[in-house]
Amino acid sequence: MSEIKIVRNTAPKQKPDENNLVFGKYFTDHMFEMDWNQQQGWHDARIVPYGPLELSPACTCLHYGQETFEGMKAYRNPHGEIYLFRPMENFKRLNRSNERLCIPQIDEEFALKALLELIKMDKDWVPHTEGTSLYIRPFVIGTEPSLGAHSSSEYKFLIIMCPVGAYYATGLNPVSIFVENEYVRAVRGGMGFAKTGGNYAASLKAQDVAAEEGFSQVLWLDGVERKYIEEVGAMNVFFVLGDEVVTPALQGSILPGITRKSVIELLSSWGYKVSERRLSVDELLEAYKKGNFTEMFGSGTAAVISPVGLLRYKDIDMKLSDGKIGELSQRLYDELTGIQWGKCPDPFGWTMKVE
Amino acid sequence: MSEIKIVRNTAPKQKPDENNLVFGKYFTDHMFEMDWNQQQGWHDARIVPYGPLELSPACTCLHYGQETFEGMKAYRNPHGEIYLFRPMENFKRLNRSNERLCIPQIDEEFALKALLELIKMDKDWVPHTEGTSLYIRPFVIGTEPSLGAHSSSEYKFLIIMCPVGAYYATGLNPVSIFVENEYVRAVRGGMGFAKTGGNYAASLKAQDVAAEEGFSQVLWLDGVERKYIEEVGAMNVFFVLGDEVVTPALQGSILPGITRKSVIELLSSWGYKVSERRLSVDELLEAYKKGNFTEMFGSGTAAVISPVGLLRYKDIDMKLSDGKIGELSQRLYDELTGIQWGKCPDPFGWTMKVE
């Protein structure tokens, strides 16, 4: 299984305009693919031209949601070299998701090797323009061509990649967030900590409602008591409360973000008091009234740091950082993107060069 | 959109042995397919040879679980005629699932028309052997070829069909069920009432554990208090408690089963007191101790009625109906399958002839 077969794309596509990249729409010339079955385990690792999959209409992933994925990025530094950001963290998390979804484990080292190989083949697709990067989507799907409602006996692991622009076209910008009261994304004992389709499917409805009301995303509350802060679907959240920076503790229903982890490590290294703990909406409201809740931001691979200018709970609007970018948000954004794009030193050894 | 284009399969397959049908594995010669986009709505309705789908590796259903489905059956009566059982209930439920998953509504009447057309083309696939039927799987998947985490802008609606054997090879048989304490399938505010992949994905792990311990399925408790009975994943559940037959009320986290509905209607017509209400494990244990909890069964399209001989909660084993088929389970099974296979009168007008 150490061999990766390579089939070169003989009809490479024209690359999209780097100044008008839409997220997740333009794919590179190649993709990585391998298969799993009970007899052979993971086998037939190959890099092939990017193109449609032929799937049985009965296959598990189309009916029973047995699918997991990851999201990560490759960045081009000022010298034109390509770097990844903590890629092993992604493959480790993919395996934790796989475990929850009854999907066989992948060899993390081999997955990284395959990714490096794939990036090298499509290296010209890593964009050069300020703020751009190559988005990488490893994913696993159950492909048994049968309707039995049990874990699949066949799987595919794929990696596809697409050049993406800066998340905020006009630079870092505060967003408005809405605390969701009706719908629930995930619950303790469920699969909220896993990066799997069902969690996103469950959140579409609330996102649509929020968008109609002019909010960019919803903030999820816990499914049991509906009063503790969880996450924002596409990102984890942090709150500056006096001299404490608080983020919800990982208790099974929240995605263990890699940007989240990096933010915690950065803040601690800067001497901040960071708490991973339970945080209720009531505590937030109370702190806001006292002038003690001053800043909020999200963290995630796509936007890196996303400052929040307005948080609405029922009919209460909490305006944060004067509706502007908070001080800490800006500092974290500069530091993290600085490390990612190779403009700052990397004291934690988070980046990995694609040779 | 009233036209259904037909492309006949010129290489029909050999039909499988009716005495050795495996659930969900052998598909008929044709399938129904139509597409949706924002400009045309549902369009290009067609019956085509059963075969693989060409899907973009980036398409929504493979990453974000935007997928809904139904399960229903066609039965051959002793005169060789083909009947459906309450098919409009399935298409109505599909639309309720679609609404929760942000999938566009389908025209229910048109879906039924398409299904009737498809069954007529593959009528020889409806098996003749006692206890067999044609399983029908309508489903919708999001097919936008892009990784944006929002509702898809393109969809496919398909119907595929497969001949299936009797659910219990050796006739109606009591099963053992295990009350699940660790994992949660769905929660109020989630999408438990919808027939969508994520609910099944969330339940795979517990099913695997149960199977290892010799149980056929797990009984789910509510995700909030973890003490109220919900359902068994593949079926709804009923409990005979003294002179009352109890089934959990539909409160958003339970699938509104069509067999469940039919059982309630049948029992009421027979003069039983049927309650749709909250039912805690503690109440069950209490009733069992008093000799008041005498029978339990599941209801679903696949098994119709599934008598439960043993229910385990933590280390307590509740043995029901002496581990045999309960009286009411047998009567309901005989009546329902009698109506479905056209061996009994159909006083409720539940069946629909495929002309």
Side-chain angles (χ1 to χ4, degrees):
Chain A
M1 236 271 305
S2 54
E3 282 299 302
I4 300 172
K5 188 182 147 197
I6 289 177
V7 181
R8 271 182 198 282
N9 191 332
T10 53
K13 287 170 285 202
Q14 194 175 352
K15 295 181 183 59
D17 174 5
E18 285 192 6
N19 296 303
N20 289 297
L21 294 170
V22 179
F23 179 82
K25 211 169 167 179
Y26 311 103
F27 292 88
T28 67
D29 286 325
H30 298 88
M31 62 185 186
F32 174 78
E33 192 174 350
M34 66 177 176
D35 299 300
W36 188 93
N37 64 30
Q38 277 155 338
Q39 297 71 46
Q40 299 165 277
W42 287 112
H43 65 280
D44 200 10
R46 58 210 187 266
I47 290 174
V48 295
Y50 180 87
L53 303 176
E54 268 212 354
L55 295 175
S56 157
C59 81
T60 318
C61 61
L62 300 179
H63 300 265
Y64 306 125
Q66 208 187 3
E67 53 194 51
T68 54
F69 70 89
E70 271 304 319
M72 58 206 287
K73 284 178 176 174
Y75 307 85
R76 199 178 280 281
N77 79 4
H79 310 291
E81 300 163 331
I82 300 167
Y83 280 83
L84 289 168
F85 185 75
R86 312 188 83 173
M88 283 306 281
E89 294 285 337
N90 290 92
F91 290 122
K92 282 182 200 163
R93 186 170 64 184
L94 181 58
N95 266 340
R96 291 197 301 271
S97 300
N98 288 344
E99 206 277 332
R100 179 65 181 85
L101 274 290
C102 301
I103 293 174
Q105 298 284 295
I106 54 160
D107 178 331
E108 295 157 15
E109 293 288 346
F110 183 75
L112 179 62
K113 180 184 158 182
L115 172 60
L116 293 172
E117 197 65 40
L118 180 63
I119 296 173
K120 271 184 271 176
M121 284 187 65
D122 282 342
K123 63 181 187 300
D124 296 341
W125 282 87
V126 183
H128 296 74
T129 308
E130 172 87 21
T132 61
S133 55
L134 184 74
Y135 182 80
I136 297 159
R137 171 60 59 95
F139 66 107
V140 188
I141 52 176
T143 52
E144 180 180 332
S146 141
L147 296 178
H150 48 69
S151 351
S152 180
S153 62
E154 298 172 24
Y155 297 88
K156 262 186 196 301
F157 171 57
L158 295 114
I159 306 176
I160 57 177
M161 309 193 297
C162 46
V164 296
Y167 197 77
Y168 298 108
T170 54
L172 198 60
N173 251 326
V175 296
S176 299
I177 303 273
F178 174 96
V179 181
E180 176 58 42
N181 258 305
E182 185 180 353
Y183 297 107
V184 170
R185 173 188 169 273
V187 71
R188 161 206 65 181
M191 51 183 196
F193 68 87
K195 244 180 138 57
T196 179
N199 293 331
Y200 295 79
S203 68
L204 290 172
K205 191 84 188 168
Q207 290 291 142
D208 278 9
V209 173
E212 277 166 30
E213 297 187 17
F215 288 80
S216 71
Q217 297 203 37
V218 304
L219 180 61
W220 296 103
L221 297 182
D222 77 286
V224 176
E225 301 188 51
R226 290 200 190 175
K227 62 183 202 185
Y228 296 102
I229 305 289
E230 297 226 314
E231 59 162 84
V232 170
M235 53 194 192
N236 295 111
V237 280
F238 289 81
F239 303 85
V240 181
L241 303 176
D243 64 353
E244 186 189 14
V245 185
V246 183
T247 192
L250 302 176
Q251 289 178 326
S253 53
I254 299 175
L255 191 81
I258 293 155
T259 313
R260 175 187 179 279
K261 188 177 180 181
S262 308
V263 164
I264 293 171
E265 290 167 23
L266 263 184
L267 287 175
S268 302
S269 80
W270 291 345
Y272 281 88
K273 180 185 167 199
V274 192
S275 309
E276 297 179 71
R277 63 169 174 90
R278 268 193 153 186
L279 174 65
S280 70
V281 182
D282 286 345
E283 185 185 340
L284 272 189
L285 288 168
E286 204 54 42
Y288 183 75
K289 271 188 216 151
K290 289 183 184 158
N292 223 14
F293 170 22
T294 50
E295 188 172 345
M296 172 180 174
F297 56 88
S299 69
T301 295
V304 189
I305 296 295
S306 203
V308 178
L310 174 72
L311 178 64
R312 177 176 292 175
Y313 177 64
K314 295 182 178 168
D315 56 355
I316 304 162
D317 277 353
M318 289 176 265
K319 206 173 166 185
L320 302 162
S321 315
D322 282 328
K324 303 200 182 79
I325 302 165
E327 198 184 327
L328 201 55
S329 308
Q330 186 72 57
R331 185 175 171 196
L332 283 163
Y333 180 81
D334 291 344
E335 183 72 17
L336 277 169
T337 57
I339 294 172
Q340 289 167 338
W341 273 280
K343 294 172 187 169
C344 295
D346 174 18
F348 300 94
W350 284 338
T351 60
M352 172 184 285
K353 190 173 178 181
V354 180
E355 298 288 356
Chain B
M1 238 273 302
S2 53
E3 283 298 306
I4 299 173
K5 188 182 145 197
I6 289 177
V7 181
R8 271 182 198 283
N9 192 333
T10 53
K13 287 169 286 202
Q14 195 175 350
K15 296 184 182 57
D17 174 6
E18 287 193 4
N19 296 306
N20 289 298
L21 294 170
V22 179
F23 178 82
K25 208 164 169 184
Y26 311 103
F27 292 88
T28 68
D29 286 325
H30 297 90
M31 63 184 185
F32 174 77
E33 190 172 352
M34 68 177 175
D35 298 300
W36 189 93
N37 63 32
Q38 277 157 337
Q39 298 71 46
Q40 300 164 274
W42 287 114
H43 65 282
D44 200 9
R46 58 207 187 268
I47 289 173
V48 295
Y50 180 86
L53 303 176
E54 267 213 353
L55 295 175
S56 157
C59 81
T60 318
C61 61
L62 300 180
H63 300 265
Y64 306 125
Q66 207 187 5
E67 54 193 51
T68 56
F69 70 91
E70 273 303 323
M72 57 207 286
K73 283 179 177 174
Y75 306 85
R76 199 177 281 281
N77 77 6
H79 309 292
E81 299 163 331
I82 300 166
Y83 279 83
L84 290 167
F85 184 75
R86 312 188 83 172
M88 283 306 281
E89 294 285 338
N90 289 92
F91 290 122
K92 280 182 199 162
R93 186 172 63 183
L94 181 58
N95 267 340
R96 291 198 300 273
S97 300
N98 288 343
E99 206 276 332
R100 179 64 180 84
L101 274 290
C102 302
I103 292 174
Q105 298 284 294
I106 54 159
D107 178 332
E108 294 157 15
E109 293 288 347
F110 182 76
L112 179 62
K113 181 182 155 180
L115 172 59
L116 294 172
E117 197 64 42
L118 180 63
I119 296 173
K120 269 184 275 178
M121 285 186 63
D122 282 342
K123 62 180 186 300
D124 296 340
W125 282 87
V126 184
H128 296 74
T129 307
E130 173 86 21
T132 61
S133 55
L134 184 74
Y135 182 80
I136 297 160
R137 170 61 57 95
F139 66 106
V140 187
I141 51 176
T143 53
E144 181 179 330
S146 139
L147 295 178
H150 47 69
S151 352
S152 181
S153 62
E154 297 171 26
Y155 297 89
K156 264 187 196 301
F157 171 57
L158 294 115
I159 306 177
I160 57 177
M161 308 193 299
C162 43
V164 295
Y167 196 77
Y168 298 106
T170 53
L172 197 60
N173 252 327
V175 296
S176 299
I177 302 274
F178 174 95
V179 181
E180 176 57 43
N181 260 306
E182 183 181 355
Y183 297 108
V184 169
R185 174 188 168 271
V187 70
R188 159 206 67 180
M191 52 184 196
F193 69 87
K195 246 180 136 55
T196 180
N199 293 332
Y200 295 80
S203 68
L204 291 172
K205 190 84 190 169
Q207 290 293 139
D208 278 8
V209 174
E212 277 166 29
E213 298 188 15
F215 288 80
S216 72
Q217 298 204 36
V218 305
L219 180 61
W220 295 103
L221 298 181
D222 77 286
V224 175
E225 301 187 52
R226 290 201 188 174
K227 62 183 204 187
Y228 296 103
I229 306 289
E230 297 225 313
E231 60 163 83
V232 170
M235 53 192 193
N236 295 112
V237 281
F238 289 81
F239 303 86
V240 181
L241 302 175
D243 65 351
E244 187 189 15
V245 185
V246 183
T247 192
L250 302 176
Q251 289 179 328
S253 53
I254 299 174
L255 192 80
I258 293 156
T259 312
R260 174 187 181 278
K261 189 177 178 178
S262 306
V263 165
I264 293 171
E265 289 167 26
L266 263 182
L267 287 174
S268 301
S269 79
W270 291 344
Y272 281 88
K273 182 185 168 200
V274 191
S275 309
E276 296 178 72
R277 64 170 174 88
R278 267 192 155 187
L279 174 65
S280 69
V281 182
D282 286 346
E283 185 185 339
L284 273 188
L285 288 169
E286 204 54 43
Y288 182 75
K289 272 187 218 155
K290 289 182 183 157
N292 222 14
F293 168 24
T294 50
E295 189 173 344
M296 174 181 173
F297 57 90
S299 69
T301 295
V304 190
I305 296 294
S306 203
V308 178
L310 174 72
L311 178 65
R312 175 175 295 175
Y313 176 64
K314 294 181 177 168
D315 56 354
I316 304 163
D317 277 353
M318 290 177 264
K319 205 174 168 186
L320 302 162
S321 315
D322 282 328
K324 303 202 182 75
I325 302 166
E327 197 184 329
L328 201 55
S329 307
Q330 186 71 57
R331 185 174 172 197
L332 282 164
Y333 180 81
D334 292 344
E335 182 72 15
L336 277 169
T337 57
I339 293 172
Q340 288 167 338
W341 273 280
K343 294 173 188 169
C344 295
D346 174 19
F348 301 96
W350 283 340
T351 60
M352 172 185 285
K353 189 174 178 183
V354 180
E355 299 286 358

